């Protein structure tokens, strides 16, 4: 018989047999299964589908406690919390910019549709010019961008107020937990599709739209020989699917035990990739029109990242009848796209933090206080992004902290731990016990071989082909700026090796005893007490199963590459 702690549930409270160990409050669950699906759709389908995926095609030619399964690798949980914290911090800036545009849409004439404004330069021209009023509104009015990272300039107080308003909105969407979040995302996750369909109908009727769409769907096969194409494809998939962030795991922990996570993984993968593919038609029909209007090649029309969302799209809505109305609808959609991703990300982070202290500080407003502290801390950091040099800070966070190498590194180790430490066969048994049937064996092969090899291959490609970070291909970041970026990346990546060293240093006993203690979870040991055994399994699987959801999504991402 093994000696270990027994988690039990008594009158809605999870405790420990014989009075030893922590006490856990019973976890709330989703009211309906569709609440979970819509929340995952809202988190995974976001601004990355609208501007990041189309840009990459354009550029290239066409929860912590879950890692109790292997205590030695519990640093994976801490790493995911660091990543999702950074993502919550910088991602909301896109929402603040969208909210700023939304406010300026309620005018008889859109301020970015003409020159003659105080922020316009003498070279501003309304037609076929490198310095169009749309670009100047974005760079001179919204960003008021400085010369570089070493020139922070002054704080934009209008943007600061927009940032504060968005954070307040996120707080009141999250503070009551998943039961309120699940209701809100029904609207925030579906309304953007209505606006995208309307924009597509308008886009395909514009001159030059056909050329733009053909540029989108006709691949340039020679690009496949470039390592950067594979790097962009891999990082986009992981960013878009939110794999490695831990937020989907946190959402899944609120599900009932018998939820079909296997089916959910395929549904979410299809919705996510389908949305990216659909949004590409909207974007490239507009880019084709802009190229025809300016008389240039499509590859010279737009910039990456926020530049695409805040240049190409405003151009499209300014060409529609009753332009202010369509501008308001579009930026309202953009706000919703980012909001559901943002407050689900905050939900995932807060859930992970509260799970670290399950039986401590059981204050009546414990959750509300935790959400308030999280939002306030992120807001303070965001102050650096509403200065004149804020865009350079934003890009540092975007490039280093929560995408690219950090997600590839995180997902590689997740696959290794699940497939080789915990065991792919055991994980398949766990999923089968939950959903009532065994997943297709292909999943096990992906967890064990294909996905980790793809992750590590792209990771190595990324390192070998590393280039200094630039802004709009003109400004090259100084060495100390890149050093700050690497600190952001290593703050999550080092959680894994540091935690391994820490656990090994503190462990006592022979090598075999240390190995068993640090690589085997205590939830799945056999025990003669059937009720306690089933209760332990229920607690373990419900907090752990969504990792299978994330890894399955990673498998689907392999095909998407």
């Amino acid at each position: 018989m093994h000696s270990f702690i027994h988690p039990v549930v008594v009158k809605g409270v999870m405790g420990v047999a014989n009075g030893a160990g922590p006490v856990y409050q019973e976890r709330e669950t989703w009211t309906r299964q569709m609440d979970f699906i819509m929340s995952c759709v809202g988190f995974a389908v976001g601004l990355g589908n609208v501007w990041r995926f189309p840009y990459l095609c354009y550029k290239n030619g066409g929860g912590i406690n879950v890692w109790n399964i292997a205590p030695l690798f519990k640093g994976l949980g801490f790493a995911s919390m660091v990543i999702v914290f950074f993502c919550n911090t910088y991602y909301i800036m896109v929402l603040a910019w969208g909210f700023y545009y939304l406010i300026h849409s309620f005018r008889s004439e859109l301020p970015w549709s003409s020159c003659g404004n105080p922020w316009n330069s003498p070279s501003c021209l309304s037609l076929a010019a490198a310095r169009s009023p749309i670009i100047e509104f974005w760079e001179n009015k919204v960003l008021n961008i400085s010369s570089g990272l070493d020139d922070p300039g002054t704080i934009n107080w209008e943007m600061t107020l927009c940032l504060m308003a968005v954070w307040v909105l996120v707080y009141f969407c999250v503070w009551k937990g998943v039961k309120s979040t699940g209701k809100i995302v029904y609207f925030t996750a579906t309304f953007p599709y209505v606006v995208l369909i309307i924009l597509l109908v308008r886009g395909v009727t514009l001159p030059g739209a056909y050329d733009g769409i053909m540029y989108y769907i006709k691949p340039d096969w020679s690009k496949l020989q470039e390592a950067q194409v594979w790097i962009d494809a891999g990082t986009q998939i992981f960013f878009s699917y939110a794999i490695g962030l831990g937020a989907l795991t946190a959402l899944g922990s609120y599900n009932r035990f018998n939820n079909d996570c296997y089916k959910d993984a395929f549904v979410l993968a299809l919705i996510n990739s389908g949305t990216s593919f659909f949004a590409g038609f909207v974007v490239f029909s507009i880019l084709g029109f802009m190229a025809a209007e300016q008389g240039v090649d499509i590859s010279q029309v737009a910039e990456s990242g926020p530049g695409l969302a805040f240049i190409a799209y405003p151009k499209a809505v300014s060409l529609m009848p009753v332009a202010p109305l369509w501008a308001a609808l579009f930026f309202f959609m953009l706000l919703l796209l980012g909001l559901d991703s943002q407050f689900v990300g905050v939900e995932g982070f807060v859930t992970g933090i509260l799970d670290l202290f399950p039986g401590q500080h059981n204050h009546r407003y414990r959750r509300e206080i935790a959400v308030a502290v999280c939002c306030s801390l992120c807001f303070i950091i965001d102050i650096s992004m509403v200065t004149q040099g804020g865009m350079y800070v934003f890009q540092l966070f975007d490039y280093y902290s929560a995408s690219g190498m950090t997600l590839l590194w995180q997902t590689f180790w997740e696959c290794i731990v699940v497939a080789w430490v915990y065991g792919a066969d055991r994980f398949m048994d766990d999923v089968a016990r939950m959903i009532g049937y065994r997943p297709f064996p292909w999943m096990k092969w992906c967890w064990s071989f294909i996905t980790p090899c793809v992750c590590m291959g792209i990771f190595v490609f990324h390192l070998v082909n590393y280039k200094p970070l630039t802004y709009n291909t003109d400004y090259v970041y100084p060495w100390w700026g890149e050093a700050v970026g690497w600190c952001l990346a290593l703050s999550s990546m080092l959680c894994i090796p540091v935690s391994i060293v820490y656990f090994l240093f503190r462990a006592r006993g022979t090598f075999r005893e240390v190995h068993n203690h640090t690589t085997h979870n205590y939830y799945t040991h056999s025990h003669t007490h059937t009720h306690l055994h089933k209760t332990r399994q229920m607690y373990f699987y419900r907090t752990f199963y969504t990792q299978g959801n994330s890894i399955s999504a990673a498998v689907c991402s392999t095909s998407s590459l």
Side-chain angles (χ1 to χ4, degrees), residues 537-558:
Q537 285 185 331
M538 180 72 74
Y539 171 71
F540 165 62
Y541 292 136
R542 203 177 76 185
T543 57
F544 172 65
Y545 94 93
T546 308
Q547 195 58 38
N549 194 331
S550 296
I551 300 298
S552 297
V555 172
C556 296
S557 75
T558 305

Side-chain angles (χ1 to χ4, degrees), residues 378-389:
C378 290
F379 174 78
I380 293 173
I381 298 174
D382 286 333
I383 296 296
S384 64
M385 302 183 196
V386 293
T387 62
Q388 290 177 281

Side-chain angles (χ1 to χ4, degrees), residues 106-121:
F106 295 101
R107 298 186 178 185
S108 58
E109 182 182 2
L110 295 176
W112 58 82
S113 62
S114 62
C115 300
N117 300 291
W119 57 82
N120 290 129
S121 66

Side-chain angles (χ1 to χ4, degrees), residues 129-146:
R131 298 298 300 175
S132 71
I134 296 175
I135 296 176
E136 293 209 338
F137 181 82
W138 166 244
E139 294 186 350
N140 299 347
K141 175 64 174 176
V142 179
L143 300 180
N144 193 16
I145 194 165
S146 65

Side-chain angles (χ1 to χ4, degrees), residues 247-460:
L248 293 182
T249 309
L251 292 177
S253 68
Y254 292 107
N255 270 311
R256 294 172 176 82
F257 177 73
N258 292 320
N259 175 66
D260 195 340
C261 60
Y262 184 63
K263 180 186 69 177
D264 292 346
F266 282 100
V267 170
L268 293 174
L270 289 173
I271 293 176
N272 197 310
S273 294
T275 301
S276 295
F277 188 64
F278 175 73
F281 284 95
V282 180
V283 172
F284 279 87
S285 62
I286 297 168
L287 293 179
F289 167 73
M290 294 179 66
E293 182 189 48
Q294 298 178 16
V296 298
D297 188 78
I298 296 175
S299 61
Q300 303 175 19
V301 173
E303 296 292 342
S304 64
L308 187 59
F310 295 103
I311 294 176
Y313 286 125
K315 178 67 175 180
V317 296
S318 67
L319 299 172
M320 302 181 77
V322 197
L325 172 63
W326 292 110
L329 283 175
F330 171 76
F331 287 109
F332 183 59
M333 176 206 74
L334 197 70
L335 191 63
L336 294 182
L337 272 176
L339 266 180
D340 49 19
S341 296
Q342 182 70 25
F343 59 66
V344 172
V346 173
E347 173 73 45
F349 179 77
V350 172
T351 297
I353 296 300
L354 294 180
D355 283 350
L356 281 175
F357 312 100
Q360 304 175 25
H361 312 296
N362 265 335
H363 191 275
R364 179 181 177 184
Y365 299 106
R366 175 170 171 258
R367 178 184 178 80
E368 289 84 348
I369 294 174
V371 175
V373 170
C374 173
C375 293
S376 300
L377 181 59
C378 290
F379 174 78
I380 293 173
I381 298 174
D382 286 333
I383 296 296
S384 64
M385 302 183 196
V386 293
T387 62
Q388 290 177 281
M391 172 53 80
Y392 304 107
V393 179
F394 172 86
Q395 194 167 16
L396 269 182
F397 273 79
D398 181 47
Y399 188 78
Y400 287 102
S401 68
S403 61
M405 289 182 294
T406 55
L407 294 183
L408 292 168
W409 176 261
Q410 175 79 2
T411 308
F412 168 79
W413 284 107
E414 288 184 3
C415 291
I416 294 299
V417 173
V418 170
W420 295 101
V421 180
Y422 182 73
D425 289 325
R426 292 175 65 192
F427 190 75
M428 291 282 279
D429 293 339
D430 297 341
V431 176
R433 186 176 292 111
M434 292 172 46
I435 66 179
Y437 59 93
R438 290 184 68 82
F440 189 65
W442 167 259
M443 289 294 180
K444 183 176 71 174
W445 305 334
C446 287
W447 299 334
S448 303
F449 303 105
I450 299 177
T451 303
C453 288
V454 170
C455 291
M456 186 49 61
I458 299 176
F459 180 82
V460 173

